[in-house]
Amino acid sequence: KIIPTFYNNHNKKTKHVHESLERAFASDLSSPIRTNVSISEAAGQGKTIFEYAPTGPAADDFNKLTEEVLTYER
């Protein structure tokens, strides 16, 4: 799987790169992990995102990725 990170839906370059990845690797592309300051704040405090902000958008992104990985068939 390809995991797009630092995804920012408000950035044209990010959207363009993600669209290119979708065209080239559609079946191998996971949902993106959006850019979120909580991720670096959690790391700075030595915590996981689930400890730092368990109901925030970053935790949602990682939960979604986990679900995709768990359902991924080889």
Side-chain angles (χ1 to χ4, degrees):
K1 282 284 193 185
I2 298 168
I3 305 169
T5 58
F6 300 104
Y7 182 79
N8 181 345
N9 195 38
H10 302 291
N11 182 296
K12 288 182 183 181
K13 182 68 172 174
T14 300
K15 284 178 161 179
H16 176 72
V17 169
H18 193 261
E19 289 168 358
S20 295
L21 288 171
E22 284 178 323
R23 283 192 300 276
F25 305 103
S27 63
D28 292 321
L29 191 63
S30 75
S31 297
I33 304 297
R34 295 171 283 182
T35 298
N36 189 300
V37 70
S38 295
I39 296 170
S40 55
E41 289 173 348
Q45 292 190 16
K47 296 181 178 182
T48 69
I49 194 62
F50 302 107
E51 295 167 319
Y52 184 77
T55 60
D60 290 344
D61 288 350
F62 281 101
N63 279 326
K64 189 172 184 179
L65 175 63
T66 300
E67 290 297 321
E68 289 177 17
V69 169
L70 290 174
T71 60
Y72 179 69
E73 295 182 30
R74 293 181 182 232

